[in-house]
């Protein structure tokens, strides 16, 4: 059986290479289909890995507490509310044992100037624990201290991108910048973090939250605690995550006097990662399915040309039958031809996809990974397409009457 | 010559189509061919000789009647059984050679043995032997388009005899060749016949038929005379008012 198939395969290669142009054009659909399916999967998986790494850079044991109700669903964002206040953050730091650090965040997009430079930046008021909670390093100078926060000192730590925008190559530490016409002393520059979830983390300025509330957003009064956009919490270890999440939940329900639905949301890094993962996963499936259609079209192309080929080669078929080829012999011969066309096209497509992803990976920050699974899948699908779309032409060939076939 | 029976046709009829459109191609033909005979089938166009060849070649089945090949009834065999008979017992030579252009002479000759499932080494040896018999041992690796018409037909003959058939069927084997090349081809048939091969050949050409021992004359779907010697055929055709010898040759 193996010898029989091998002989058929070598005969098919001879036949197909006798008409290279036609064979090439026949394979085109499969080549394009395979190349795009594999490339899409490679790019998609690369994107997934990239996003995964981004989240890793945020820290693995982070919890985010957001104000408002977060509806279910991966893309739903929480409804804006002012239910989260600075007192909540302080209470969490005091009362939740599973927590290592708490960093409240209150931000606003504000105008920042230095000398003749002028830019709009997200200014975030936070506390001195921010670098450790968010796993963010300080590249130059230092982050502000608890004391500076308590003393309402106007000090600022710049994101690396913002430092470049304002100061260019100059050394920013020690300079005086103006945020909303208040003068701030630059005491440090954050290390580069890159973009995450569409937000450039390097385009930022961090100042003490006390200053943010009292001087920049003008919310400071004796009766209410300033509202926050979010509270970042780091658990003592990643095993403590669910305990921390549970404890924060209980504490805030008590503090907010919630009876029914929470007016806040606690999200873990894990959940955000899963959300992003499911979105990119969905995109990969969509893209692969779209390219899968071109594979199908390629299969139809093969069937089309094989049908033409059968009607052109009636004499050959008649002769083979006269020489003793059975129904099955002819059927196998033409099916093998179709399968070889599809497999060859598939292999060329894989080669193109691999070359393409290497180039893609070199030109973009995304890593493109051609997975062996994708290649095996593509080869299998190509073979199956050849087999499936080769059956009809091969059956037509096998059914030809040798007398009619030989008449010329 | 031994009297071993190769072919026996009993009351073979063949019709195509149905009802009013029915065409009767053969009408109750009887024929006996013994081993070692060298026969020419002649007759005007539409006389049924091509249909008869197709039935003899197991490419088609008779509508009625019995066909015994080597005393085996083959008129109602299954397609695959007929394919087996064609492969092992029959050899075909066609007017248009019908070689596969992408294969070498050697590979073309090996083709019937592929379907017989012989091991590669044996195929190679037997193909080389067959090509040697037709004088093409120097051209084994040539492709058909590198060979002359006569050489191509010799490859086709080698392919026909490589499975050692009991009967060689040739359909106008010299029809596409010039007279000198035709002579070469006929010499090969003669030498095969000298070694005991039974040959049945359809031809329009009296000069070709003259080289056979026996001429079978078809007309209107029946056999008018099934055992003429070339000399008798000359007499027969002269005496027949309906078919002069010129009538047989003008169909070329």
């Amino acid at each position: 059986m193996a010898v029989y198939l091998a002989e058929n395969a070598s005969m098919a290669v001879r036949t197909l290479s006798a008409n290279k142009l036609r064979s090439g054009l026949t394979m085109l659909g499969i080549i394009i289909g395979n190349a795009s399916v594999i490339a899409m999967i490679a790019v998609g998986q690369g994107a997934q890995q990239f996003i995964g790494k981004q989240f890793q850079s945020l820290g693995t044991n982070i919890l985010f507490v957001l104000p408002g109700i977060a509806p279910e669903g991966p893309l739903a964002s929480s409804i804006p509310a002012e239910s989260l206040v600075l007192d909540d953050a302080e209470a969490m730091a005091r009362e939740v044992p599973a927590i290592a650090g708490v960093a409240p965040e209150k931000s606003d997009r504000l105008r920042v100037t230095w000398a003749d430079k002028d830019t709009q930046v997200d200014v975030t008021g936070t506390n001195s624990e921010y670098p450790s909670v968010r796993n963010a390093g300080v590249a130059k100078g230092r982050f502000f201290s608890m004391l500076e926060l308590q003393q309402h000192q106007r000090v600022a730590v710049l994101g690396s991108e913002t430092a470049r925008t304002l100061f260019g190559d100059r050394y920013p530490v020690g300079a005086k910048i103006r945020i909303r016409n208040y003068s701030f002393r630059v005491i440090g520059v954050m290390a580069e973090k890159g973009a995450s979830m569409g937000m450039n983390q390097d385009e930022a300025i961090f100042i003490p939250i006390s200053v943010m509330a009292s001087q920049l957003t003008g919310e400071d009064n004796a009766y209410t605690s300033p509202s926050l956009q979010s509270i970042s919490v780091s658990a003592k270890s990643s095993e403590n995550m669910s305990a921390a999440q549970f404890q924060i939940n209980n504490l805030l329900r008590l503090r907010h006097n919630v009876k029914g639905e929470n007016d806040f949301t606690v999200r873990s890094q894990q959940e955000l990662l899963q959300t992003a993962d499911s979105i990119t996963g969905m995109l990969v499936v969509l893209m692969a399915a779209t390219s899968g259609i071109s594979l199908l079209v390629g299969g139809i192309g093969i069937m089309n040309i094989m049908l033409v080929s059968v009607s052109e080669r009636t004499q050959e078929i008649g002769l083979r039958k006269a020489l003793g080829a059975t129904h099955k012999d002819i059927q196998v011969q033409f099916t093998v031809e179709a399968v070889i066309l599809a497999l060859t096209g598939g292999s060329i497509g894989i080669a193109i996809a691999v070359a393409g992803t290497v180039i893609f990976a070199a030109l973009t920050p995304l890593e493109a990974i051609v997975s062996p699974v994708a290649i095996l899948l593509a080869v299998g699908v190509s073979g199956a397409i050849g087999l499936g779309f080769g059956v009809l032409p091969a059956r037509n060939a096998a059914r030809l009457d040798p007398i009619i076939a030989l008449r010329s | 010559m031994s009297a071993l029976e190769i072919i026996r046709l009993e009351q073979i009829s063949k019709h195509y189509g149905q009802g009013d459109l029915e065409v009767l191609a053969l009408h109750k033909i009887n024929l006996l061919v013994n081993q070692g005979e060298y026969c020419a089938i002649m007759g005007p166009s539409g006389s049924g000789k091509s249909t008869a060849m197709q039935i003899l070649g197991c490419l088609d089945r008779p509508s009625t009647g019995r066909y015994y090949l080597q005393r085996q009834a083959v008129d109602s065999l299954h397609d695959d059984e007929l394919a087996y008979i064609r492969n092992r017992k029959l050899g075909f030579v066609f007017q248009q050679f019908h070689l596969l252009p992408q294969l070498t002479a050697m590979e073309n000759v090996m083709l019937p043995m592929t379907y017989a499932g012989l091991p590669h080494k044996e195929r190679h040896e037997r193909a080389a032997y067959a090509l040697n018999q037709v004088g093409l041992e120097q051209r084994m690796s040539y492709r058909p388009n590198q060979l002359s018409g006569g050489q191509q037909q010799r490859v086709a003959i080698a392919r026909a005899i490589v499975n050692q058939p009991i009967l060689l069927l040739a359909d106008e084997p010299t029809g596409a060749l010039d007279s000198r090349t035709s002579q070469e081809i006929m010499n090969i048939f003669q030498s095969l016949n000298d070694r005991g091969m039974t040959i049945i050949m359809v031809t329009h050409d009296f000069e070709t038929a003259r080289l056979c021992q026996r001429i079978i004359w078809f007309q209107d779907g029946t056999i008018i005379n099934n055992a003429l010697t070339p000399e008798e055929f000359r007499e027969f055709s002269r005496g027949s008012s309906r078919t002069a010898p010129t009538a047989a040759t003008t169909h070329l």
Side-chain angles (χ1 to χ4, degrees):
Chain A
M1 189 63 194
V3 176
Y4 178 70
L5 279 180
E7 276 170 357
N8 265 291
S10 91
M11 179 67 77
V13 169
R14 304 283 293 272
T15 308
L16 295 171
S17 50
N19 201 338
K20 290 194 181 64
L21 180 65
R22 172 189 285 190
S23 300
L25 288 173
T26 308
M27 288 186 295
L28 208 54
I30 293 283
I31 293 175
I32 293 171
N34 254 303
S36 53
V37 167
I38 294 174
M40 287 302 157
I41 292 175
V43 170
Q45 286 188 334
Q48 256 174 326
Q49 277 214 354
F50 181 76
I51 291 169
K53 275 189 190 155
Q54 290 274 303
F55 278 104
Q56 298 284 308
S57 77
L58 286 174
T60 47
N61 49 356
I62 284 192
L63 288 171
F64 296 100
V65 186
L66 305 165
I69 303 152
E72 287 300 309
L75 276 174
S77 60
S78 60
I79 297 157
E82 300 203 339
S83 57
L84 212 56
V85 294
L86 186 56
D87 283 353
D88 290 330
E90 281 159 5
M92 276 154 61
R94 255 191 338 264
E95 292 172 30
V96 178
I99 282 178
V102 175
E105 284 168 48
K106 178 175 184 62
S107 0
D108 206 349
R109 200 163 177 84
L110 298 172
R111 185 173 172 217
V112 178
T113 56
W114 180 76
D116 57 340
K117 299 281 172 40
D118 191 327
T119 182
Q120 291 276 332
V121 186
D122 279 321
V123 178
T124 301
T126 183
N127 64 11
S128 54
E129 287 180 53
Y130 182 88
S132 70
V133 171
R134 292 296 291 264
N135 197 25
V138 179
K140 296 168 189 159
R142 59 178 180 83
F143 209 77
F144 53 81
S145 66
M146 192 65 135
L147 191 68
E148 284 165 322
L149 183 136
Q150 282 164 354
Q151 293 175 343
H152 289 225
Q153 289 204 19
R154 290 205 292 268
V155 289
V157 179
L158 308 183
S160 57
E161 179 79 35
T162 304
R164 248 195 312 281
T165 310
L166 289 175
F167 293 94
D169 293 334
R170 291 193 192 83
Y171 191 71
V173 176
K176 296 261 186 188
I177 57 170
R178 293 189 82 80
I179 305 175
R180 221 191 201 188
N181 286 329
Y182 289 95
S183 172
F184 282 76
R185 183 162 52 90
V186 176
I187 57 166
V189 177
M190 302 299 285
E192 213 153 312
K193 286 210 88 171
S196 167
M197 304 280 285
M199 271 174 35
N200 189 346
Q201 300 177 90
D202 296 326
E203 214 170 84
I205 292 180
F206 301 97
I207 60 171
I209 191 159
S210 52
V211 179
M212 184 75 183
S214 63
Q215 294 173 23
L216 293 185
T217 56
E219 257 188 81
D220 192 31
N221 60 61
Y223 306 106
T224 57
S225 178
S227 65
L228 303 175
Q229 264 86 33
S230 73
I231 304 173
S232 300
V233 179
S234 64
K236 279 193 171 133
S237 72
S238 41
E239 289 87 63
N240 281 351
M241 290 287 279
S242 51
Q245 197 162 356
F246 179 75
Q247 289 163 359
I248 291 167
N249 198 55
N250 281 350
L251 176 72
L252 290 183
R253 278 180 75 83
L254 271 173
R255 285 183 59 81
H256 294 188
N257 214 0
V258 181
K259 298 278 190 307
E261 222 172 335
N262 283 351
D263 60 352
F264 61 92
T265 312
V266 185
R267 281 229 162 119
S268 69
Q269 181 74 23
Q270 201 71 33
E271 285 167 332
L272 289 175
L273 190 64
Q274 278 165 359
T275 304
D277 228 42
S278 72
I279 293 166
T280 45
M282 225 155 65
L283 282 175
V284 169
V285 168
L286 257 173
M287 292 191 294
T290 314
S291 354
I293 291 169
S294 60
L295 263 184
L296 191 74
V297 174
I300 294 169
I302 286 185
M303 178 162 72
N304 194 9
I305 297 295
M306 289 303 293
L307 282 170
V308 172
S309 172
V310 167
S311 64
E312 275 180 0
R313 285 158 67 191
T314 51
Q315 279 199 28
E316 176 191 331
I317 295 159
L319 169 81
R320 286 176 180 275
K321 285 197 156 185
L323 296 182
T326 59
H327 209 85
K328 186 190 123 204
D329 287 327
I330 301 293
Q331 174 103 38
V332 169
Q333 181 197 343
F334 279 86
T335 308
V336 165
E337 273 185 34
V339 169
I340 285 190
L341 269 177
L343 283 182
T344 312
S347 309
I348 296 172
I350 290 167
I352 291 174
V354 169
T357 46
V358 166
I359 293 169
F360 179 81
L363 295 181
T364 66
L366 292 183
E367 285 171 55
I369 307 130
V370 180
S371 69
V373 176
I375 288 178
L376 278 179
L377 199 74
V379 170
V381 168
S382 311
I385 280 175
L387 209 61
F389 287 99
V391 161
L392 180 68
R395 206 182 51 182
N396 284 2
R399 280 182 179 172
L400 274 178
D401 189 337
I403 304 166
I404 294 163
L406 278 173
R407 217 171 269 161
S408 54
Chain B
M1 197 204 334
S2 77
L4 259 173
E5 171 191 314
I6 295 288
I7 286 172
R8 185 146 51 92
L9 298 183
E10 289 180 354
Q11 301 285 308
I12 292 282
S13 293
K14 179 72 184 177
H15 50 79
Y16 299 104
Q18 285 177 336
D20 291 344
L21 296 170
E22 188 177 283
V23 177
L24 194 63
L26 288 177
H27 185 63
K28 292 187 176 169
I29 283 178
N30 295 298
L31 183 67
L32 187 72
V33 176
N34 287 325
Q35 187 179 8
E37 281 199 88
Y38 186 9
C39 309
I41 290 181
M42 297 193 76
S45 286
S47 60
K49 55 187 194 309
S50 295
T51 307
M53 276 298 266
Q54 284 155 9
I55 289 173
L56 287 173
C58 292
L59 291 164
D60 203 358
R61 294 185 190 84
S63 303
T64 58
R66 307 307 312 264
Y67 172 16
Y68 298 95
L69 184 68
Q70 254 188 348
R71 298 187 185 277
Q72 180 193 5
V74 295
D75 46 72
S76 54
L77 289 181
H78 193 261
D79 276 352
D80 284 354
E81 293 167 320
L82 287 179
Y84 179 84
I85 300 245
R86 290 196 293 267
N87 185 241
R88 304 299 171 93
K89 301 202 168 180
L90 304 175
F92 292 91
V93 179
F94 306 94
Q95 183 177 5
Q96 298 300 332
F97 323 137
H98 285 312
L99 300 176
L100 296 187
Q102 72 268 28
L103 303 183
T104 63
M106 170 66 90
E107 287 165 332
N108 266 292
V109 176
M110 283 162 71
L111 205 53
M113 294 184 283
T114 312
Y115 294 124
L118 291 180
H120 192 269
K121 188 164 173 285
E122 189 180 346
R123 273 187 238 167
H124 209 273
E125 286 165 0
R126 283 170 64 169
Y129 179 71
L131 281 164
N132 203 43
Q133 273 189 296
V134 297
L136 279 180
E137 60 277 6
Q138 306 295 327
R139 297 281 191 276
M140 289 185 186
S141 56
Y142 285 45
R143 282 169 203 271
N145 60 8
Q146 298 167 307
L147 298 170
S148 70
Q151 287 169 334
Q152 289 186 50
Q153 193 61 299
R154 282 196 268 167
V155 173
I157 294 172
R159 182 180 63 189
I161 61 173
V162 76
N163 265 354
Q164 294 155 0
I166 57 165
L167 174 64
L168 189 59
L169 293 164
D171 191 358
E172 304 248 14
T174 58
L177 303 172
D178 61 48
S179 58
R180 196 179 56 81
T181 319
S182 297
Q183 189 59 51
E184 283 172 25
I185 296 298
M186 292 310 291
N187 288 345
I188 292 172
F189 279 115
Q190 187 60 57
S191 71
L192 288 171
N193 179 244
D194 290 344
R195 274 174 273 167
M197 178 68 80
T198 312
I199 301 172
I200 297 179
M201 178 185 295
V202 168
T203 182
H204 276 121
D205 180 16
F206 178 71
E207 287 303 311
T208 306
R210 205 168 49 80
L211 301 167
C212 307
Q213 304 153 356
R214 175 181 172 188
I215 295 167
I216 302 162
W217 184 259
F218 272 73
Q219 199 162 307
D220 299 331
T222 57
I223 295 176
I224 299 287
N225 201 321
N226 78 21
L228 293 164
T229 62
E231 292 70 33
E232 287 168 346
F233 175 68
R234 202 187 295 269
E235 290 298 313
F236 161 78
S237 48
R238 195 174 293 149
S240 165
S241 56
R242 284 193 286 183
T243 47
T246 47
T249 50
T250 46
H251 283 290
L252 265 173

